[in-house]
Amino acid sequence: MTLKSDHPLLNSLNPSQQEAVLTTEGPVLILAGAGSGKTRTLTHRIAYLIAEKKVSPFSVLAVTFTNKAAGEMKKRVLNLLYGQQKADFLLNSIKGPTFNHPDLPVIGTFHSFCVQILRKYLHLLGFENQFAIYDDTDSQILMKTIMREQGLSTDRLNPKAILSHISGAKNALLTPTEYAKQAYSTFTQTVADLYPIYQKKLSQNQALDFDDIIMKTVELFEKEPQVLADLQERFQYISVDEYQDTNHAQFILINKLAHKYRNLCVVGDDWQSIYSWRGATMQNILDFEKDYPEAKTVKLEQNYRSTSIILDASHSVIAKNKKRTDKKLWTNKEKGPKIQIWQALDERAEGGMIAAEIQKILLQYEAPSYRDFAILYRTNAQSRVIEETMLRYGIPYRVVGGVKFYERKEIKDILAYLKLIVNPADSVSLLRIINIPPRKIGSKTLEALQTMSRHQGDVPLLSIIQNLQTMAGNKIELNEGKTVTLGQFVKLISVMQKINHQYPASGVIKNLLEESKYKEFLLDGSTEGETRYENVQELISVASKYDKLEPGLSLATFLEEVALISDLDQFDDRDNAVVLMTMHMAKGLEFPNVFIAGLEEGIFPHSRSLFEPNELEEERRLMYVGMTRAMERLYLLYAERRLLYGDIKCNSPSQFLRDLPAELCESNDPKNPLAEDGIIMETEAKEGILANYFGKINQQSGLKRIPVENEIEFYPDEIPDPVALVDQTEGFLTGQIPNFSQGDRVRHRTFGEGVVVKVTGGILTIAFSNPQIGVKKLASSVAPLKKIKN
DNA sequence: GTTGGCGTCGTTTTT
DNA sequence: CGACGCCAAC
C-alpha cells in the first residue's frame, strides 16, 4: 500500500490506521485494541471519504451505542472537515439528529437512528408516527398491569424477569408466535402467553419499548422493500462502532442496509465485549470475515494510552480467556509506576485510602487535577460509601449513573404529563399522573374507567374520560363529583395542549407546573421538596435547549431525545471533579489515574457469574476494560471485610488479581493476594478475619511489598467513626457496633438463637440453644448477629 | 382515598 | 441496608 502520509488527514496516523482510512470501498473489519486510536481512525476515515473521495455526506452513516460516543464522533468529523470554528457553529445551530440535513453525515446511536426512520415510516406498520418511547420503568408498570389482569401474582412471577425474556426474544428478532414455538419450560410458556398481550398493550398506547425500536425497523425493512431500497441507496457508506456489542437484531439491521453497496466498515475489540447479558453477540465480530469473505481486515495494535506496565498487566489478565482473538498490543511508552494492589480493612477504609492517595498525588505533582482521577467499581451500590468518603475529605466528585436523574420521581411525573400532552393515547403516562398531585381519583375510579375502556375495545383512557362528559348519566357508579373531578383533569390536559401550540418546551413545563399545581405539591416546605423542585428546574434548563424550535415540535423533539438519553451523556469531562462510575460506563473513556474498588470474589467477579464459565470470561473482559482505562497509575483495591446487603461479609481477594504478574505489582497485604494459596475461602465472618490475621504468610511469588501503613489514619480524626478498630494489644478486632451486653438474647444467621454469656472487648461468648453448636466466641463487629427481644 | 407503619423481598451491568 | 408492597388506621 502506498502511503500518502503527507495528506493532512493521514499524516498524523500510523501505517495501520492509514490503511484503514485508505480502504474506502468494500467491507472492512478494524480490530482495534484498547487505546489504539479507534475513534481517531474512524473519524479520519469518514472525513477522508467526504473530503477526498467526494462522497456526499448525505450518503454517510455512522452508528454508535451511546449518545456520548456519537456526539464525540460528530464533533471530531466536523472539526476535520470544516475546522473548529465552523464545526462549533454547525454543532450549535443544529439541534437534534442530522437525519434530514442534506450536508451532514448521519452520526447517531442505533436507537436514535432507528427512531428517525420510524418517525417517517412507522405508519406503514399500522402505528402512528408520533409514537411514545417506553423506558424500563414504563414497561414494568405495563407488565404489572397485564399480570394483574391475567390473575398472575407478581409475587411469584417477577415482572422484570419476564420482561428480560421478552427483551431477549426481541433482540433475537423472535415474534410472539415464534417465541411460543420454542418455549421450553413452564416459565417460558408464561412468557410466551404474556409477550403478545404486552405487545398489544404497547400498541394500544401507541408506544414502543427500547427493543421494539430496533425490531420494528427490521420489520419495516422486511415488509416495505421500497423503504429499504431507498435507504440502501442513500446510505452507501456505513460504519459501526463497538461492533462487538451488537446484538442479532442490530446485526440484521445493518446487514440489510449495507446489502447493496457492501461498503460496511465495522470497528471493535472482542476483548472488550461486556454486554452479552443484554443480547450482544461477540460472534458478530468474530464472524465478520465469514459474513463478508471479501472483507479487508486491519489490526490496530499500537496502544497510545497506557504505560507498558498497565498494558502488560491487563494483557496477562485477558490472556486467561479462552474465547478470544489473538493479538498483542504494544506501546512506545515508558514502564511507569507499578500497579498498586491494596488491601483495606473494610469498604470505608477502602474509600479512605483512595481519597488519601488522591490528595497525596495532587500535592506531590502540580499538574494533575481532580478530573484526572476515576474510581471504578462493579456495581452502583458501591458508589455510596466512596461518595461519603469524598465528601468527608472535601474532594469534588461526580457520580455518573446510580441514582438516575431521569428516573427521579418528579422528573418522571413531569415527563409523563408531557408525554400525555403530546400523545393522548398514552394511558400508562395518564395512569401515572392522573392523581398527582392528589385529586381524589383513586383505584376504584380508575378500575371503573379501565373496565369501560376494555368494553369499548380498548379506547384510550383519556377519551373515555372525555366521553364521560358528553354521555350524561353514565351507567358506571361514578358519582357526579367524580365526573366533575375527572372533567377538570381532561380540561387541564386540553389547556396544556393549547399551550403546547404557543410555547416551546421549557415554556410548556413552566405552565404545566402552575396549571397542574405540581409546583405547590412539590414545595410542601420540606427540604426534600425543594431539592425536587430544583431537579425540575434542571429539567427546564435542559428543555430550553430546544426553545429555538417552533412550538409543538420543540416539546416533541425534547421528549424524543430525553427518552434515549443516558446518564453517561450527562458526564462532562470538563468538570473538575473525580469521577465515580461503573466499569461498564467507563468503556471508551480514559483517565491518568484509575482506582478499581471492590476486587473481591462475589463482587468482582460478581457472584452471579462465578459458576458460569462464559459469564466469568465476560467478567474478566470487564476487568480488562477497567484496567485499560488507566494511562499512568492503576490501583486495585479490595476490602478484608465489607458491609453487604446489611451483613458483614469477608470475601477473598478477586481471582483476577492472581492473573497479574507479580513483578508488575506492589501490595500492602501481608498475605499474597496473587498466589493461589494466599487466598482465604469465603467463610463465616469471624473465621475469615482470624484467618487473615494469623494465616500463613506467603512470600514465594516475589511480589514486592510496600510498607503497611496504619489503616486507621485513613479515617479522619475529627469525625468519630463507629467502625471497628484494631486492638493492637489483643490482636483481635473490637467492635463498637452493635453493642451487646451480658444476658442479651441474640440470633445468629446460621447458629440460631443464643444468649451472650460474656463480653471481652469485642469478643462475645455466646451459648447457643442448639446443643450441636454449643458455646462459641464471636467478634461482635463482624458476626452476623442480631439482638432479639427477651 | 390517603397515609404511614411494618414486614418482606432482593439485591449487576443499560441503550 | 434500602426499596417497595401490603394492610390497617385515619
Side-chain angles (χ1 to χ4, degrees):
Chain A
M1 163 111 16
T2 358
L3 299 180
K4 306 181 200 166
S5 43
D6 55 329
H7 191 287
L9 282 172
L10 294 169
N11 59 18
S12 64
L13 303 180
N14 70 34
S16 320
Q17 293 173 333
Q18 290 184 6
E19 194 183 355
V21 170
L22 290 167
T23 315
T24 54
E25 309 302 310
V28 185
L29 168 64
I30 304 177
L31 289 171
S36 64
K38 178 190 65 154
T39 312
R40 184 180 185 76
T41 308
L42 204 47
T43 50
H44 280 247
R45 190 173 180 278
I46 293 171
Y48 187 83
L49 276 172
I50 295 169
E52 195 62 33
K53 293 284 165 179
K54 304 298 172 206
V55 172
S56 159
F58 195 69
S59 312
V60 172
L61 168 68
V63 198
T64 65
F65 276 87
T66 66
N67 292 302
K68 187 174 164 61
E72 182 72 20
M73 198 182 290
K74 214 182 284 179
K75 195 169 96 191
R76 284 162 77 163
V77 168
L78 294 184
N79 268 345
L80 289 172
L81 287 173
Y82 305 116
Q84 191 168 347
Q85 220 174 6
K86 191 174 173 201
D88 283 350
F89 171 77
L90 278 169
L91 284 168
N92 280 326
S93 59
I94 43 159
K95 276 283 162 266
T98 52
F99 194 83
N100 296 315
H101 200 295
D103 304 321
L104 292 176
V106 176
I107 299 176
T109 63
F110 271 100
H111 289 85
S112 74
F113 173 64
C114 289
V115 166
Q116 298 314 304
I117 295 173
L118 295 176
R119 288 275 183 241
K120 212 167 158 182
Y121 299 110
L122 192 60
H123 63 275
L124 298 173
L125 297 181
F127 264 79
E128 280 171 29
N129 287 352
Q130 269 305 322
F131 55 89
I133 299 169
Y134 277 9
D135 66 15
D136 291 348
T137 328
D138 300 324
S139 302
Q140 273 176 45
I141 293 170
L142 190 59
M143 183 51 79
K144 280 183 195 160
T145 319
I146 293 170
M147 289 170 71
R148 213 172 298 132
E149 281 177 12
Q150 298 294 311
L152 295 166
S153 107
T154 45
D155 297 342
R156 307 219 9 237
L157 278 164
N158 181 265
K160 262 194 214 166
I162 292 169
L163 281 170
S164 118
H165 272 251
I166 292 178
S167 169
K170 289 179 177 181
N171 290 159
L173 293 176
L174 293 174
T175 62
T177 328
E178 288 161 340
Y179 180 85
K181 276 185 208 146
Q182 48 99 72
Y184 54 89
S185 63
T186 43
F187 177 74
T188 46
Q189 192 50 57
T190 313
V191 176
D193 294 341
L194 292 171
Y195 182 11
I197 306 174
Y198 173 70
Q199 287 310 103
K200 191 173 146 227
K201 287 267 175 191
L202 281 173
S203 132
Q204 278 160 12
N205 286 292
Q206 288 297 324
L208 301 186
D209 66 16
F210 280 134
D211 303 309
D212 281 336
I213 291 173
I214 312 290
M215 193 175 174
K216 288 281 174 203
T217 311
V218 173
E219 192 186 326
L220 176 77
F221 288 176
E222 278 164 359
K223 294 199 173 144
E224 300 292 331
Q226 195 50 51
V227 171
L228 176 61
D230 289 352
L231 289 167
Q232 282 174 340
E233 198 55 46
R234 170 170 175 187
F235 295 113
Q236 297 183 11
Y237 291 85
I238 300 174
S239 318
V240 183
D241 194 14
E242 308 278 18
Y243 193 65
Q244 77 282 352
D245 287 335
T246 48
N247 61 34
H248 179 68
Q250 290 159 335
F251 169 78
I252 296 295
L253 177 93
I254 289 299
N255 274 277
K256 284 188 183 293
L257 271 179
H259 186 72
K260 185 164 182 202
Y261 287 94
R262 297 180 80 80
N263 292 324
L264 174 60
C265 172
V266 303
V267 192
D269 180 6
D270 59 298
W271 292 7
Q272 296 185 67
S273 162
I274 53 174
Y275 284 108
S276 74
W277 51 274
R278 199 166 87 184
T281 42
M282 196 165 85
Q283 211 57 38
N284 287 343
I285 195 166
L286 299 179
D287 284 349
F288 190 80
E289 286 159 310
K290 257 184 257 166
D291 298 331
Y292 292 86
E294 77 273 35
K296 167 114 192 163
T297 300
V298 181
K299 284 189 183 185
L300 305 184
E301 293 182 303
Q302 181 175 3
N303 175 294
Y304 294 93
R305 179 184 294 153
S306 309
T307 64
S308 71
I309 281 189
I310 293 171
L311 202 57
D312 292 347
S314 54
H315 188 268
S316 42
V317 170
I318 198 73
K320 289 274 156 57
N321 270 7
K322 298 210 165 64
K323 247 200 197 161
R324 64 184 173 86
T325 58
D326 234 350
K327 59 176 170 286
K328 178 76 189 169
L329 297 186
W330 59 278
T331 180
N332 278 334
K333 285 198 154 192
E334 55 185 17
K335 283 181 94 173
K338 287 192 174 179
I339 293 167
Q340 299 296 307
I341 301 176
W342 289 354
Q343 182 198 46
L345 198 61
D346 58 21
E347 75 280 0
R348 306 189 55 170
E350 182 181 60
M353 289 168 94
I354 295 172
E357 179 71 6
I358 292 175
Q359 287 184 337
K360 193 177 127 197
I361 293 183
L362 284 169
L363 285 174
Q364 219 163 0
Y365 308 92
E366 265 177 26
S369 41
Y370 290 116
R371 71 167 74 81
D372 295 333
F373 297 85
I375 306 171
L376 309 179
Y377 35 78
R378 178 64 178 83
T379 64
N380 277 313
Q382 290 168 257
S383 72
R384 201 192 195 95
V385 180
I386 302 173
E387 208 177 332
E388 280 166 17
T389 325
M390 295 297 126
L391 274 171
R392 283 194 290 166
Y393 276 75
I395 295 174
Y397 68 92
R398 179 135 184 173
V399 184
V400 181
V403 195
K404 296 169 177 113
F405 181 74
Y406 287 98
E407 278 176 21
R408 284 168 206 267
K409 191 182 163 300
E410 60 277 18
I411 301 301
K412 288 224 65 167
D413 286 345
I414 299 288
L415 291 176
Y417 268 109
L418 299 175
K419 283 196 222 169
L420 183 63
I421 293 164
V422 172
N423 175 14
D426 187 352
S427 300
V428 167
S429 291
L430 179 140
L431 288 173
R432 184 185 173 94
I433 45 82
I434 191 163
N435 202 29
I436 296 177
R439 295 188 180 91
K440 309 222 184 270
I441 304 169
S443 55
K444 278 269 166 59
T445 314
L446 291 176
E447 257 166 50
L449 291 172
Q450 279 169 305
T451 314
M452 291 167 81
S453 160
R454 228 168 304 138
H455 287 170
Q456 296 176 32
D458 293 305
V459 178
L461 288 176
L462 194 69
S463 322
I464 294 284
I465 304 174
Q466 266 160 348
N467 295 339
L468 231 45
Q469 308 301 298
T470 48
M471 53 182 224
N474 55 77
K475 41 206 176 299
I476 311 284
E477 310 94 67
L478 286 178
N479 60 39
E480 216 167 306
K482 278 286 167 285
T483 319
V484 172
T485 321
L486 288 167
Q488 283 166 351
F489 179 75
V490 172
K491 181 119 186 284
L492 168 68
I493 299 300
S494 68
V495 166
M496 288 311 303
Q497 283 168 337
K498 276 185 205 116
I499 288 175
N500 186 31
H501 289 119
Q502 296 157 8
Y503 294 88
S506 69
V508 178
I509 303 179
K510 283 181 203 157
N511 273 289
L512 175 68
L513 286 173
E514 303 294 337
E515 295 285 339
S516 66
K517 307 238 166 59
Y518 197 87
K519 184 177 169 184
E520 271 175 54
F521 167 68
L522 276 188
L523 293 174
D524 57 356
S526 68
T527 42
E528 197 192 341
E530 255 166 59
T531 320
R532 296 192 160 187
Y533 186 64
E534 278 165 26
N535 287 333
V536 174
Q537 291 301 314
E538 175 76 24
L539 186 72
I540 293 179
S541 83
V542 177
S544 65
K545 290 179 188 150
Y546 300 82
D547 283 357
K548 278 185 218 152
L549 300 171
E550 63 191 83
L553 182 67
S554 168
L555 181 63
T557 313
F558 166 66
L559 281 179
E560 185 163 296
E561 308 232 332
V562 158
L564 298 176
I565 219 159
S566 83
D567 287 287
L568 182 61
D569 307 325
Q570 304 294 304
F571 164 58
D572 186 342
D573 43 21
R574 289 164 303 182
D575 253 14
N576 194 12
V578 172
V579 185
L580 278 64
M581 62 174 121
T582 63
M583 280 171 282
H584 281 90
M585 283 272 204
K587 191 163 77 136
L589 306 177
E590 60 180 26
F591 302 89
N593 309 288
V594 169
F595 299 87
I596 302 181
L599 275 154
E600 293 149 42
E601 288 292 292
I603 295 181
F604 190 33
H606 193 270
S607 53
R608 291 217 174 173
S609 44
L610 281 175
F611 304 105
E612 176 45 56
N614 283 334
E615 290 183 27
L616 198 56
E617 291 218 341
E618 179 146 314
E619 294 283 308
R620 194 178 277 105
R621 291 195 291 271
L622 187 58
M623 175 72 177
Y624 176 75
V625 167
M627 290 177 76
T628 51
R629 298 311 96 196
M631 300 158 82
E632 300 288 327
R633 292 183 196 79
L634 176 61
Y635 302 82
L636 307 174
L637 294 97
Y638 54 97
E640 203 177 333
R641 57 172 198 266
R642 172 182 300 270
L643 192 63
L644 211 58
Y645 313 135
D647 274 332
I648 291 171
K649 297 268 165 60
C650 286
N651 303 313
S652 18
S654 169
Q655 57 183 288
F656 299 147
L657 293 172
R658 277 184 260 153
D659 302 338
L660 298 166
E663 66 275 15
L664 305 180
C665 307
E666 281 177 351
S667 169
N668 72 341
D669 191 342
K671 289 185 303 85
N672 182 0
L674 272 48
E676 197 90 34
D677 59 352
I679 304 289
I680 54 163
M681 298 310 290
E682 188 174 353
T683 57
E684 197 58 41
K686 181 200 94 178
E687 290 159 22
I689 279 176
L690 295 183
N692 248 358
Y693 271 77
F694 303 117
K696 172 168 112 186
I697 293 178
N698 184 316
Q699 297 279 4
Q700 70 197 10
S701 83
L703 173 75
K704 195 180 165 207
R705 236 166 279 292
I706 54 173
V708 182
E709 299 188 49
N710 183 0
E711 280 139 336
I712 291 159
E713 85 178 51
F714 295 109
Y715 297 112
D717 294 327
E718 62 278 12
I719 299 148
D721 197 313
V723 92
L725 305 174
V726 174
D727 182 332
Q728 302 287 352
T729 50
E730 292 219 19
F732 281 108
L733 292 157
T734 59
Q736 267 74 48
I737 38 166
N739 269 316
F740 292 103
S741 45
Q742 202 179 336
D744 282 349
R745 285 179 65 81
V746 294
R747 185 194 308 280
H748 186 275
R749 197 181 55 213
T750 43
F751 300 155
E753 285 188 20
V755 177
V756 178
V757 291
K758 197 176 159 198
V759 182
T760 343
I763 304 298
L764 307 173
T765 309
I766 298 171
F768 288 98
S769 52
N770 182 343
Q772 307 243 305
I773 292 162
V775 180
K776 289 214 175 267
K777 286 186 179 184
L778 301 170
S780 70
S781 57
V782 292
L785 280 173
K786 271 181 190 161
K787 257 190 238 193
I788 54 175
K789 285 166 208 125
N790 276 314

